[in-house]
Amino acid sequence: MKRQLILEDGTVLVGKGFGSMEETIGEVVFNTGMTGYQEVLSDPSYCGQIVTLTYPLIGNYGINRDDFESISPAIQGFIVKEAAAAPSNWRSKETLDELLKSRKIPGLEGIDTRKLTRIIRQYGALKGAICGMDVNVQAMIERLKNEPLPTDQVERVSTNTAYPSPGRGYRVVLVDFGMKHGILRELNMRNCDVVVVPYNTTAEEILRLNPDGIMLSNGPGDPKSVPVAINMIQGVLGKAPLFGICLGHQLFALACGANTRKMKFGHRGSNHPVKSLETGVVDITSQNHGYTVEMESIENTRLQVTHIALNDGTVEGLKHIDYPAFTVQYHPEASPGPEDSNHLFDDFMKLIETYKKEGEDVCQNV
């Protein structure tokens, strides 16, 4: 069935629909990864977005039970050059088309995804709609121009209630702004006693759980749309070691007095080089964000830049000068992507250990 993608700038691309045939509207972005489409589909950070994959053949190894990054994908739509109808992999349980149908996610194939990517690179992320051929193009363009997109993405993807993921190691409170399961998996691998809490949990409620460490997860949307989290971070800062990823990194920066801004088209892919300013080591990282911390806004804060993106010089890591807290803009848990920076979870464990030891030494000297 023919379907069309209509962009707010007037561009119309006609292709073939797959997955759900429902109409959908969202921010159109692109991801440059060659593999990992299942993880991209199920990453809550894509909530409200229509994702275009630049690699031409998607779905060739099917969908399996193990590579989901969330139980309920929140992606708004999926655009590919070609969706493989006959995948081949020993783990495959269903096709990409079958998954999208079951989760009511509209798909579009057969358009020039490289052309669409060039449009986004030139003009920035655009609002768009995947819809039927009977839709009035001019009326849809006016709708896209005049109707703002929702800003409640974090509320939509965060857990509603706190829940444990038990372990016998350090107690880590993981604040869920749209958490990828990969983060929870890495903490579980280190035997952490994890308590996952909703995005709007207060500082008092978190501290009442007696955490050894606090983790701020990734998530979708504009960090300034989550002021309750900024207040929470200010309330826990310095009272337990803190580690933030992606949206958690941006919220941490805002809580410490820095500023964030929307990027032209963001970083979305699995091959972004990031340099550590402390060691000089370059890691190849997995990234998915449309906002960044402004470098110049850090000057009058107690923050220090620890990592930068080699492609464009944007901030990729921060640490607090006075408190045991650090964050990164990229995804050390990968999924999909390289695991070069996985050691950051071990660094977090060492930070907790050091903080606890210093507290014990103070108590012994009283």
Side-chain angles (χ1 to χ4, degrees):
M1 182 184 294
K2 279 190 174 182
R3 304 269 285 170
Q4 58 184 338
L5 171 69
I6 302 174
L7 300 179
E8 62 177 312
D9 71 344
T11 301
V12 179
L13 299 170
V14 177
K16 175 186 174 184
F18 70 104
S20 170
M21 292 297 134
E22 298 178 7
E23 179 179 296
T24 189
I25 292 176
E27 182 184 43
V28 184
V29 300
F30 65 86
N31 183 294
T32 58
M34 296 175 65
T35 60
Y37 53 82
Q38 182 174 335
E39 294 93 327
V40 169
L41 270 169
S42 56
D43 183 348
S45 293
Y46 284 114
C47 178
Q49 294 180 323
I50 298 172
V51 180
T52 304
L53 294 186
T54 60
Y55 190 70
L57 179 60
I58 300 298
N60 52 316
Y61 54 87
I63 301 294
N64 65 72
R65 71 164 198 185
D66 299 324
D67 290 343
F68 287 102
E69 286 298 314
S70 65
I71 294 175
S72 301
I75 197 170
Q76 205 72 16
F78 207 50
I79 300 175
V80 301
K81 175 63 176 175
E82 179 183 348
S88 177
N89 186 276
W90 66 275
R91 294 197 302 161
S92 179
K93 298 298 182 183
E94 60 181 339
T95 66
L96 178 61
D97 178 55
E98 290 169 338
L99 173 69
L100 296 190
K101 278 187 171 72
S102 69
R103 303 304 174 95
K104 294 182 171 54
I105 299 171
L108 184 67
E109 67 168 316
I111 70 167
D112 188 343
T113 52
R114 299 299 177 93
K115 176 182 178 180
L116 176 56
T117 300
R118 288 196 299 269
I119 291 171
I120 296 171
R121 283 182 60 88
Q122 183 175 355
Y123 299 107
L126 297 165
K127 285 187 285 185
I130 298 176
C131 51
M133 298 302 295
D134 57 339
V135 170
N136 183 287
V137 173
Q138 196 56 45
M140 178 59 77
I141 292 172
E142 290 301 314
R143 180 181 173 187
L144 292 171
K145 287 181 177 179
N146 297 319
E147 289 186 13
L149 293 173
T151 59
D152 63 342
Q153 295 99 316
V154 169
E155 181 180 355
R156 285 155 58 187
V157 297
S158 176
T159 182
N160 293 320
T161 57
Y163 62 91
S165 181
R168 295 185 179 276
Y170 294 127
R171 164 72 61 85
V172 174
V173 173
L174 173 51
V175 186
D176 179 12
F177 300 114
M179 173 195 70
K180 288 173 64 182
H181 285 174
I183 295 175
L184 184 58
R185 179 184 64 244
E186 292 298 331
L187 293 174
N188 288 154
M189 286 175 61
R190 289 158 178 82
N191 205 27
C192 291
D193 181 30
V194 183
V195 180
V196 181
V197 299
Y199 79 99
N200 56 357
T201 306
T202 66
E204 291 75 15
E205 290 169 329
I206 289 175
L207 295 175
R208 199 174 297 131
L209 293 169
N210 296 312
D212 296 314
I214 298 169
M215 186 104 200
L216 308 176
S217 86
N218 64 293
D222 185 347
K224 293 178 181 176
S225 297
V226 200
V228 64
I230 297 171
N231 294 333
M232 176 273 293
I233 295 168
Q234 291 171 340
V236 301
L237 192 58
K239 297 175 182 175
L242 182 146
F243 178 23
I245 292 174
C246 202
L247 181 63
H249 159 83
Q250 298 161 9
L251 290 167
F252 171 74
L254 290 172
C256 294
N259 191 34
T260 57
R261 62 171 174 84
K262 186 173 176 61
M263 305 174 78
K264 186 176 181 180
F265 49 82
H267 295 169
R268 296 177 180 89
S270 53
N271 60 347
H272 290 257
V274 169
K275 180 179 180 179
S276 167
L277 298 181
E278 296 177 333
T279 66
V281 172
V282 175
D283 286 338
I284 303 302
T285 67
S286 174
Q287 302 206 8
N288 173 19
H289 59 275
Y291 290 81
T292 186
V293 177
E294 290 185 334
M295 181 73 77
E296 58 272 20
S297 72
I298 297 170
E299 292 180 5
N300 296 319
T301 70
R302 298 297 292 168
L303 297 176
Q304 179 180 333
V305 178
T306 58
H307 297 77
I308 59 168
L310 290 184
N311 287 338
D312 60 9
T314 52
V315 178
E316 290 284 347
L318 295 168
K319 74 175 181 180
H320 203 284
I321 295 173
D322 305 314
Y323 303 125
F326 71 100
T327 62
V328 291
Q329 180 66 80
Y330 51 94
H331 288 268
E333 82 287 352
S335 300
E339 298 181 348
D340 295 23
S341 55
N342 189 264
H343 64 87
L344 291 175
F345 289 97
D346 295 323
D347 294 344
F348 184 41
M349 297 298 103
K350 293 173 185 175
L351 186 63
I352 292 174
E353 182 180 357
T354 300
Y355 185 79
K356 287 179 70 68
K357 186 176 186 303
E358 288 176 351
E360 292 170 357
D361 290 344
V362 169
C363 291
Q364 291 173 0
N365 293 327
V366 171

